[in-house]
Amino acid sequence: WADIEPGPGKFKIKMFTEVMMRLHSKGIETIFCTPTATPPVWLSHGHPERLFMGVDGIRMTHGSRQHFCTNNPYFRKRCALVVEAIAEGISGLPGLAGWQIDNELKSHVSECCCEECARQWRQWLKKRFGTVAKLNHDWGTSLWSQKYSSFAQVPVPMKNTPFTHNPSLATEYRLFSREKIAEFQDEQSAIIRRYSKAPITHNSNVRHYLDHDRHFRNLDFASFDANKDGKITPDE
């Protein structure tokens, strides 16, 4: 992403278009991956609220990949802008065989528990249950005085309790997280489809923190990643 957009709104696609054209001239087609797994430092510097916070309450710092909260509104805005710049810039090129959204979503991190996720979580609960009374009934919150009088009181399942959270709360938060990451992917797909007819996929693995049925619902085909540990022998 840092090479495509070295600064806010300064898109540089030429290097990638030149490579794609050279590949095409040799009979090689391209599947282009959106760069949203690796946000540039200018997007995170001075804005820790945009970064991923785990169930342990530790907020990520810049580096590696998947260190952003994919529910952060500004991050989502920047993702939409860079994806549109790429889609507009390369969709007409010969040799474009397909698109890959992001890279191994939720392979390194599970549920984000930052303030923005907590806000969206409570909105999601209100839409899902309608009333706190129904939530209390369905979750059996009388146990250990977990009963709530408003959605604002419902916590995210961070590891700061003496024992486990209500299992319904933990399960619902996983469902919430998986629905949100699928929506993040769908936003990118919708932008690409405005410019390109090439098929769209995502590279995943059964161990990733996704609802795979929901995740691939709006894509053209499913892709699977498998990385082998250890050395490869000459026979292989």
Side-chain angles (χ1 to χ4, degrees):
W1 187 340
D3 289 331
I4 296 173
E5 190 181 11
K10 301 175 182 177
F11 299 109
K12 296 184 177 181
I13 312 296
K14 185 179 179 180
M15 177 181 73
F16 299 94
T17 60
E18 290 177 348
V19 170
M20 288 178 64
M21 293 299 290
R22 289 176 63 187
L23 290 172
H24 177 67
S25 70
K26 303 297 181 180
I28 302 172
E29 295 186 319
T30 298
I31 296 177
F32 203 99
C33 173
T34 63
T36 49
T38 57
V41 70
W42 58 259
L43 191 49
S44 59
H45 183 70
H47 290 280
E49 76 281 359
R50 299 173 184 170
L51 298 167
F52 179 94
M53 179 187 289
V55 295
D56 53 8
I58 297 176
R59 198 181 294 274
M60 298 281 183
T61 56
H62 185 86
S64 187
R65 61 174 183 168
Q66 300 183 11
H67 48 291
F68 262 70
C69 169
T70 53
N71 289 330
N72 180 273
Y74 188 73
F75 173 67
R76 294 277 276 264
K77 176 183 177 181
R78 299 309 315 186
C79 286
L81 290 171
V82 72
V83 169
E84 183 161 23
I86 295 168
E88 186 176 15
I90 74 169
S91 289
L93 296 180
L96 177 64
W99 295 87
Q100 175 188 303
I101 303 296
D102 206 270
N103 186 23
E104 298 181 329
L105 284 164
K106 293 294 185 180
S107 59
H108 302 313
V109 296
S110 54
E111 293 80 38
C112 180
C113 294
C114 74
E115 298 85 355
E116 178 61 28
C117 285
R119 184 186 69 81
Q120 294 187 27
W121 155 243
R122 290 161 186 139
Q123 290 179 336
W124 185 86
L125 288 174
K126 186 174 183 179
K127 182 178 180 180
R128 186 172 180 84
F129 290 96
T131 66
V132 176
K134 178 169 172 49
L135 182 149
N136 285 324
H137 174 269
D138 291 356
W139 286 10
T141 55
S142 291
L143 179 67
W144 293 346
S145 296
Q146 296 176 30
K147 188 175 288 187
Y148 308 108
S149 58
S150 71
F151 288 108
Q153 295 175 341
V154 183
V156 297
M158 300 177 73
K159 291 183 178 179
N160 53 4
T161 53
F163 192 52
T164 57
H165 280 282
N166 182 305
S168 292
L169 182 148
T171 299
E172 292 281 1
Y173 199 77
R174 286 194 292 271
L175 293 174
F176 158 77
S177 176
R178 284 151 176 72
E179 184 176 307
K180 288 295 182 179
I181 197 66
E183 290 175 0
F184 171 63
Q185 175 180 259
D186 290 349
E187 284 182 7
Q188 295 190 43
S189 298
I191 293 169
I192 291 170
R193 293 191 196 282
R194 295 204 299 264
Y195 296 91
S196 174
K197 294 183 179 179
I200 304 174
T201 190
H202 172 69
N203 59 323
S204 188
N205 189 295
V206 292
R207 66 178 179 81
H208 296 174
Y209 299 95
L210 303 171
D211 174 351
H212 286 86
D213 178 64
R214 168 64 181 90
H215 203 73
F216 288 102
R217 188 177 302 163
N218 297 321
L219 299 183
D220 296 302
F221 63 98
S223 301
F224 178 76
D225 259 7
N227 297 315
K228 179 174 179 179
D229 295 326
K231 296 181 179 179
I232 297 176
T233 65
D235 291 339
E236 295 176 296

